[in-house]
Amino acid sequence: MQSKTSSFKTVVIKNLTRFWPLWGLATFICLMVPMAIVVNDGLRPTPSDGASYYLEAAAHAGPGYCLVMSIFAAMVVWSYLYTPKSVGLMHSLPISRKKLFYASYLSGLLMTLIPACAAGLLLTIFEIVTGSFSFVPFITAAAVLILEAFFFFSFATFLAHITSNIIALPILYYILNFLAVIIEYVVSIYCRLLCFGLTDTENSLSYFLSPVCEYYSKVE
């Protein structure tokens, strides 16, 4: 039992250290957001209506970030599934396949969340310095980012286990995320060409099949 527990931690740590350039670069990019806010706004407090910088960042940038970062994290942590040699090596470890799955999933989810947490921490420090820190927006933003990362990485993990090629994984991932909206858009173009006087509607009928499009259609 001790060896299995040790291997679980080893797989998580090994994935994080092995693929650190991925989440390290993402962290650097995410830290540019609070740095830009500090440069543009200085040490002024947030608006009096209670809006917070990290809540706005989570609302507007969170889905797009999680959509992109989740597929990169899934591609690296599940890359061993696509070659017989790496599969045999990973399954030879003193750990059950269920715990191996949990360890790989946890490490991929951490890769997705670490850059967002780093940016959120810097924004929190910025708001504490300006005296405008609010606990409720902080918890709301954290919950939003965790749920978004969980959803998109879980979807990418599901596709990683039904595809047999690492190149097909991101292609299928983005196709399934936007296929319905793209089809509706193409059909609407041909309908406007064939039907005189037909115009676009403001609300798409297929947005509910694309989580990102549905989300941004409701965020102001």
Side-chain angles (χ1 to χ4, degrees):
M1 181 63 68
Q2 183 63 33
S3 62
K4 291 185 178 181
T5 304
S6 177
S7 295
F8 179 89
K9 295 179 182 178
T10 301
V11 171
V12 175
I13 296 174
K14 183 64 177 179
N15 283 338
L16 292 177
T17 55
R18 180 184 178 188
F19 303 116
W20 71 265
L22 173 62
W23 58 267
L25 178 62
T27 301
F28 175 78
I29 295 174
C30 288
L31 288 177
M32 293 298 101
V33 176
M35 292 301 295
I37 293 175
V38 173
V39 171
N40 292 331
D41 293 358
L43 294 179
R44 296 199 302 267
T46 53
S48 58
D49 59 1
S52 63
Y53 290 120
Y54 43 76
L55 185 57
E56 292 181 2
H60 292 87
Y65 163 77
C66 291
L67 175 72
V68 175
M69 187 61 186
S70 294
I71 187 59
F72 281 110
M75 289 175 66
V76 295
V77 298
W78 303 118
S79 59
Y80 75 89
L81 293 173
Y82 303 119
T83 58
K85 183 178 180 180
S86 59
V87 170
L89 174 63
M90 294 299 292
H91 288 171
S92 66
L93 297 176
I95 182 174
S96 65
R97 294 190 179 185
K98 181 172 68 173
K99 290 188 176 183
L100 177 61
F101 172 83
Y102 290 156
S104 299
Y105 182 90
L106 178 60
S107 59
L109 189 60
L110 287 176
M111 291 181 197
T112 306
L113 289 174
I114 287 175
C117 291
L121 179 61
L122 188 56
L123 283 174
T124 301
I125 295 173
F126 172 63
E127 292 206 344
I128 292 176
V129 171
T130 59
S132 57
F133 176 78
S134 180
F135 185 73
V136 174
F138 175 80
I139 294 298
T140 303
V144 167
L145 283 172
I146 291 174
L147 290 175
E148 289 171 348
F150 175 79
F151 172 80
F152 285 110
F153 185 72
S154 297
F155 184 53
T157 296
F158 170 74
L159 295 179
H161 285 75
I162 65 173
T163 56
S164 58
N165 188 286
I166 195 171
I167 303 300
L169 172 58
I171 296 175
L172 184 61
Y173 175 79
Y174 285 109
I175 285 178
L176 293 181
N177 269 296
F178 298 103
L179 180 62
V181 176
I182 294 175
I183 292 177
E184 183 189 14
Y185 177 73
V186 173
V187 171
S188 66
I189 291 177
Y190 281 99
C191 288
R192 291 198 304 272
L193 292 175
L194 298 175
C195 301
F196 178 77
L198 184 65
T199 58
D200 287 334
T201 59
E202 295 183 359
N203 297 323
S204 173
L205 299 177
S206 62
Y207 273 4
F208 74 98
L209 296 174
S210 176
V212 177
C213 294
E214 176 70 11
Y215 180 91
Y216 281 116
S217 68
K218 299 183 181 299
V219 173
E220 297 180 357

